[in-house]
Amino acid sequence: MSETNEKLLKPYNPQETESKIYKLWEESGFFNPDNLPNVIKESFTIIMPPPNVTGVLHMGHALMLTIQDIMIRQKRMQGYKTLWLPGTDHAAIATQARVEKEVQKKEGKSRHDLGREEMLKRIKTYAQESHDTITSQIRVMGSSCDWSREAFTLDEKRNIAVNTMFKKMYDDGLIYRGNRIINWDPKGQTTISDDEIVYEERTSKLYTFKYSKDFPISISTSRPETKVGDVAVAVHPEDTRYIEFIGKEYDLEFCGVSLHIKIIADKEVDPTFGTGALGVTPAHSMIDWEIADRHELSRPQVINEYSKMTVGGENLLNKKTTEAREIIVEWLREQNLLEKEEEIKQNISTAERTGGIIEPLPKLQWFINVNKSIPERGNKTLKELMRDPLEKEEIKIIPEYFSKTYFHWIDNLRDWCISRQIWYGHRIPVWYRSTSLTAGKEEIYCGTEAPQGEGWKQDEDTLDTWFSSGMWTFSTLGWPEKTKDMETYHPTDVIETGYEILFFWVARMIMMSEYALGEIPFKNIYLNGTVRDSKGQKMSKSLGNGVDPIEISQKYGSDAGRMALIVGTAPGTDSKVDENKIKGYKNFANKIWNITRFVLDNNPYVGQMVPLCQTYGENKIVNEFNDITKDITNDMENYRFHLASEKIYHYIWHKFADELIEESKKDNEEGQQIKKILLPIWIDCIKILHPFMPFVTEEIWSMMPIESKNLLMIEKWPNV
RNA sequence: GCGCGGUUAGCUCAGUUGGUAGAGCAACCCGUUUACACCGGGAAGGUCGCAGGUUCGAGUCCUGCACCGCGCACCA
């Protein structure tokens, strides 16, 4: 046995092999498409969804990296100019909230104690550490991405792109500043978008009462404390019970607060709910705000950013909303106004990142208008720009049924609030100044850089993190500059991500790309499901049921982890982590290790090997293998990696090893015939398996007796 | 309330255009003069949630229902 093959005498050791192999790949330069020899086809591009710099990689990332690496490796072997561009996301609120929490815990200080500059310094340090961990973990997974093009959603180049986009949208009238009701997160002290709300079902009480003895109509609410902000009672226009009161106005005292209530008719009111009459609180309810719009009502704010009351006498003023609720209910009881108290199930809006209970508040914020027609884009609206490419099937979603969810979301889409009252993120590129010259009126300047002249102050707010993520497919390629990368790699081929961010991210990317470039950002959307624990529960920090992909790699090898994640995991469906399954694929790695030993050892035909792509005449075994190769290639090109991986696994173990190798041991004509073709078939098996289990196959490849071979990662995919 | 998905072997799940139901793991029997025990051979296991329909033929298509999960909306 030759020297290299001595390794084969011991069981396969992934720990020893994997880091060595990754280094080999990285040093080869082949992750960078510019360095690829033998490019015979056009470009194939995937921009990696950037993991948040809030900590470490989880199994979901591992799955995403596996799927993308499979696609990338196959395309690279097929001769495409293959680019997989990696990066990380600053994840504004998530990252800042994390560091704030840490500072609070360790030093007992708030972000305001530290100040903007110092806080940002702390966050940046944390983000950098997190970034370093994550990028090393991406390497551990075997991801063949081009590190020379790595990007960060908050680096300088991306900042230029973001500011350019903001200004373009501002100039086109798509970005506007408005005083509107928004979702306020009292815990995170910032606004959030509709999509960042998570609903939690809780039981709460529904109170039915009258404002005062003289008031003719009873109303119901689960939030009595907001009722000090009421300006009207709305009833359905055809509700005969109340028709006589419509238009009347009442002055009354409610728990020490003077209210002026007008009875109005509005079709939005459901006459069958509660008393059929709705107390209208414009400043603290989305629907009421809209009713106030229609009826030109005033909008007094009674709750502030800290969820405290801003009206009332000593009994209410500055009290937390929860206390105020008790006080008002008690007052209603005392006054004998409370008619009914019942338990109801209610969906509470909470902030996705902080868990804070959302308080709707009116605030001056920046919004993106999704319903304004854009002359430059054939008078289409942003909504239409998001919808069209999927409707026209320029973009395909895998699995296809998610397009229904997508359209449904667009139909319900409202203007997107993009300003955030946090410090970590892209600062809004708008400056204000009021001087004696402007006679008290504020000047506004929007630009990619600070304006000339004295006295300008930049907007304090930063942008929703998804604004910069939305530009990811082209900001990473150099936009707004007209770069060679833009020309070569855009539109990209596939975006691969979890279905849970279809709206947050995928839709916004389509919007941004269609708007700014008039081009789709990608041709295909591959949505993967959620990786759950063995019981089917979502992995989370609080449950402590997370499985660390790096631990898995150390214990079983990344190859095994990758196979366990992809075999049987159909697009869009959730999967469970099963350590037994991973163990099975560790055994598989060892199996192919031993197959290699057998094929190379005591095989007189090794020296006269003829590659399989050359003619073998009419050979049943070769034909069968070619069919399987074709089938697997076809599966992979149609995103059926869960099938392709299983098929190659099955062929290798149960056909190649259990049948062909066993028969080749026979000391007869047939056995000799099989022995002749073992190596050429085996070589192609290794190639087909490479995208799935890149490390062990590359290591085996290095031992193959082939003249002038290169790395397996750029070998030609079997062509049948 | 509207929408989407799931329901297939003990468990976890595949099943691409309708053509005799598949894998992994577990359990059962046999086997260690072996490339590999991180192994091999064998057998067992399913009225494909329920009820209709289309079809020569349905796990697959259509209709209805049940249960589970998810999304959106409502949440006065």
Side-chain angles (χ1 to χ4, degrees):
Chain A
M1 189 177 279
S2 68
E3 203 186 313
T4 26
N5 294 352
E6 233 156 78
K7 269 190 280 190
L8 289 170
L9 290 172
K10 289 186 209 151
Y12 174 63
N13 183 336
Q15 289 76 16
E16 255 172 43
T17 312
E18 293 189 348
S19 57
K20 182 192 80 188
I21 294 283
Y22 195 87
K23 210 183 244 170
L24 214 62
W25 289 332
E26 211 172 348
E27 281 165 4
S28 76
F30 295 143
F31 289 171
N32 182 340
D34 299 333
N35 300 333
L36 282 176
N38 316 322
V39 166
I40 50 167
K41 289 181 178 162
E42 64 272 30
S43 69
F44 180 86
T45 315
I46 297 177
I47 310 288
M48 184 190 294
N52 292 347
V53 288
T54 46
V56 295
L57 247 49
H58 55 246
M59 289 311 278
H61 291 120
L63 174 62
M64 139 194 140
L65 293 169
T66 299
I67 296 170
Q68 289 171 43
D69 199 42
I70 290 168
M71 293 191 254
I72 287 290
R73 284 185 185 273
Q74 189 205 14
K75 294 294 175 183
R76 192 185 288 121
M77 290 172 83
Q78 285 177 325
Y80 289 85
K81 194 172 170 70
T82 308
L83 171 64
W84 187 15
L85 196 152
T88 46
D89 195 316
H90 69 288
I93 295 181
T95 311
Q96 177 168 323
R98 215 189 155 86
V99 177
E100 270 188 69
K101 208 171 156 187
E102 214 176 85
V103 169
Q104 185 69 48
K105 205 172 142 194
K106 281 190 185 153
E107 302 169 42
K109 286 179 179 168
S110 76
R111 67 165 142 152
H112 298 285
D113 296 331
L114 289 182
R116 188 165 190 146
E117 210 175 309
E118 177 60 23
M119 190 68 211
L120 279 176
K121 225 170 97 187
R122 304 279 184 100
I123 299 171
K124 274 178 193 159
T125 308
Y126 175 82
Q128 184 61 46
E129 282 167 19
S130 181
H131 161 272
D132 296 347
T133 309
I134 286 168
T135 50
S136 82
Q137 291 177 324
I138 293 174
R139 287 176 166 90
V140 169
M141 290 303 299
S143 315
S144 60
C145 47
D146 180 7
W147 294 106
S148 74
R149 284 179 168 85
E150 191 194 341
F152 180 50
T153 55
L154 192 57
D155 60 19
E156 237 172 87
K157 281 190 176 165
R158 262 43 68 178
N159 185 242
I160 292 168
V162 162
N163 287 352
T164 306
M165 178 67 90
F166 190 100
K167 178 160 171 47
K168 183 174 164 58
M169 293 184 115
Y170 180 87
D171 291 343
D172 284 346
L174 291 170
I175 285 183
Y176 67 95
R177 199 180 189 211
N179 188 40
R180 294 187 31 197
I181 192 158
I182 46 78
N183 309 302
W184 178 259
D185 169 12
K187 211 164 170 186
Q189 285 293 302
T190 180
T191 53
I192 60 169
S193 65
D194 295 344
D195 297 294
E196 286 165 293
I197 291 176
V198 178
Y199 294 101
E200 273 179 37
E201 196 180 83
R202 294 187 192 174
T203 44
S204 68
K205 278 189 178 150
L206 184 70
Y207 303 93
T208 303
F209 59 89
K210 279 183 183 158
Y211 294 110
S212 73
K213 287 194 177 66
D214 308 324
F215 196 76
I217 300 174
S218 304
I219 57 164
S220 298
T221 184
S222 59
R223 297 198 60 193
E225 74 277 13
T226 63
K227 297 290 103 182
V228 294
D230 280 14
V231 295
V233 164
V235 297
H236 194 272
E238 281 144 39
D239 194 327
T240 50
R241 289 172 293 177
Y242 306 123
I243 224 155
E244 54 175 311
F245 302 112
I246 293 170
K248 290 192 174 158
E249 301 188 22
Y250 299 83
D251 281 300
L252 48 91
E253 285 286 310
F254 182 76
C255 201
V257 180
S258 305
L259 297 182
H260 181 83
I261 304 285
K262 187 178 178 184
I263 315 288
I264 57 170
D266 196 288
K267 278 186 184 154
E268 282 294 299
V269 179
D270 175 1
T272 64
F273 187 94
T275 62
L278 162 66
V280 181
T281 322
H284 300 288
S285 154
M286 295 281 173
I287 295 191
D288 296 8
W289 179 271
E290 283 162 19
I291 292 175
D293 258 349
R294 289 195 287 272
H295 299 270
E296 292 178 356
L297 303 169
S298 66
R299 298 139 196 249
Q301 185 174 340
V302 297
I303 297 167
N304 67 13
E305 284 81 353
Y306 303 98
S307 296
K308 286 184 176 164
M309 305 305 293
T310 59
V311 294
E314 253 179 64
N315 61 335
L316 285 179
L317 193 64
N318 281 327
K319 291 264 164 41
K320 292 284 273 183
T321 47
T322 45
E323 291 174 61
R325 183 176 307 171
E326 294 304 315
I327 292 163
I328 289 174
V329 169
E330 198 44 46
W331 179 84
L332 287 169
R333 279 202 195 101
E334 278 166 20
Q335 301 292 312
N336 228 347
L337 293 168
L338 190 62
E339 293 167 3
K340 205 154 97 186
E341 214 175 312
E342 55 193 316
E343 297 245 308
I344 55 158
K345 282 208 169 148
Q346 202 182 214
N347 280 328
I348 303 268
S349 315
T350 64
E352 190 206 16
R353 293 297 181 184
T354 66
I357 294 174
I358 297 303
E359 188 64 65
L361 289 179
K363 265 188 150 331
L364 186 60
Q365 296 293 318
W366 289 97
F367 296 88
I368 289 181
N369 187 335
V370 294
N371 292 308
K372 187 180 193 309
S373 69
I374 306 158
E376 197 190 346
R377 295 282 170 258
N379 286 322
K380 283 182 186 159
T381 65
L382 289 177
K383 257 190 185 183
E384 287 162 343
L385 288 180
M386 279 188 257
R387 182 181 255 282
D388 282 3
L390 273 95
E391 230 159 35
K392 291 183 189 152
E393 289 179 31
E394 292 163 3
I395 300 178
K396 230 177 87 189
I397 298 195
I398 303 127
E400 207 253 313
Y401 58 75
F402 271 103
S403 50
K404 279 189 188 164
T405 320
Y406 180 85
F407 290 132
H408 189 245
W409 175 79
I410 291 178
D411 292 340
N412 288 305
L413 187 63
R414 288 185 285 190
D415 284 3
W416 174 17
C417 176
I418 51 169
S419 44
R420 298 288 178 273
Q421 289 66 54
I422 57 168
W423 293 336
Y424 189 54
H426 292 280
R427 197 142 167 198
I428 290 175
V430 172
W431 286 260
Y432 312 95
R433 124 173 126 172
S434 51
T435 59
S436 49
L437 287 171
T438 57
K441 248 186 132 186
E442 196 174 51
E443 281 182 274
I444 290 190
Y445 173 87
C446 173
T448 54
E449 280 166 57
Q452 301 289 311
E454 295 286 303
W456 288 100
K457 266 193 78 181
Q458 187 170 6
D459 197 299
E460 290 288 322
D461 289 353
T462 51
L463 285 166
D464 182 358
T465 191
W466 298 104
F467 189 95
S468 50
S469 314
M471 304 170 61
W472 191 238
T473 50
F474 52 94
S475 70
T476 48
L477 294 173
W479 188 88
E481 278 176 58
K482 290 194 171 72
T483 59
K484 193 140 190 281
D485 274 4
M486 272 303 282
E487 204 181 299
T488 312
Y489 301 108
H490 201 278
T492 68
D493 291 86
V494 182
I495 193 76
E496 194 284 329
T497 190
Y499 60 72
E500 71 276 5
I501 53 173
L502 180 61
F503 311 139
F504 277 123
W505 192 41
V506 178
R508 264 76 176 262
M509 283 192 284
I510 296 172
M511 180 188 102
M512 294 286 201
S513 184
E514 281 286 330
Y515 164 67
L517 313 174
E519 227 175 55
I520 52 172
F522 30 70
K523 297 165 198 152
N524 298 285
I525 304 166
Y526 181 108
L527 295 173
N528 63 258
T530 307
V531 185
R532 297 166 179 277
D533 72 3
S534 54
K535 291 178 198 138
Q537 278 184 306
K538 228 172 172 172
M539 294 186 193
S540 74
K541 283 233 168 62
S542 50
L543 283 171
N545 61 345
V547 177
D548 178 4
I550 303 309
E551 254 172 57
I552 295 293
S553 291
Q554 280 159 0
K555 209 163 158 193
Y556 304 103
S558 290
D559 283 334
R562 289 167 62 119
M563 275 300 269
L565 283 170
I566 195 61
V567 174
T569 304
T573 53
D574 294 355
S575 54
K576 291 174 191 171
V577 180
D578 177 356
E579 242 183 280
N580 265 328
K581 191 175 176 187
I582 304 170
K583 210 169 149 191
Y585 291 110
K586 181 181 191 274
N587 296 350
F588 180 56
N590 194 55
K591 183 79 183 180
I592 65 175
W593 194 250
N594 280 299
I595 290 172
T596 307
R597 167 149 54 134
F598 181 87
V599 170
L600 294 181
D601 263 7
N602 310 314
N603 186 340
Y605 304 104
V606 165
Q608 10 172 319
M609 207 270 295
V610 181
L612 208 59
C613 55
Q614 291 169 32
T615 179
Y616 267 83
E618 268 312 304
N619 184 312
K620 212 179 128 219
I621 294 165
V622 173
N623 285 345
E624 187 194 36
F625 178 69
N626 284 343
D627 284 347
I628 296 220
T629 304
K630 218 181 282 175
D631 190 30
I632 291 173
T633 306
N634 183 37
D635 276 341
M636 293 180 76
E637 275 157 8
N638 289 289
Y639 305 97
R640 297 188 292 261
F641 309 112
H642 62 301
L643 298 183
S645 50
E646 193 178 334
K647 282 175 187 168
I648 188 63
Y649 167 87
H650 199 257
Y651 180 84
I652 287 175
W653 200 312
H654 299 298
K655 184 75 192 180
F656 191 86
D658 291 350
E659 291 182 26
L660 299 188
I661 285 186
E662 289 311 313
E663 277 165 41
S664 80
K665 289 177 185 169
K666 286 181 191 156
D667 206 12
N668 57 18
E669 178 65 17
E670 201 199 344
Q672 288 308 297
Q673 284 308 315
I674 292 175
K675 207 160 194 173
K676 267 186 199 166
I677 53 168
L678 277 185
L679 183 59
I681 291 184
W682 186 235
I683 282 171
D684 277 12
C685 283
I686 288 301
K687 288 182 183 174
I688 292 168
L689 190 58
H690 180 255
F692 303 97
M693 302 182 84
F695 292 108
V696 66
T697 49
E698 187 74 73
E699 177 73 355
I700 287 172
W701 182 253
S702 73
M703 294 181 258
M704 288 296 184
I706 297 169
E707 296 284 315
S708 66
K709 66 180 176 206
N710 213 318
L711 288 174
L712 178 57
M713 68 173 283
I714 57 161
E715 267 298 318
K716 256 190 83 187
W717 187 260
N719 199 3
V720 284

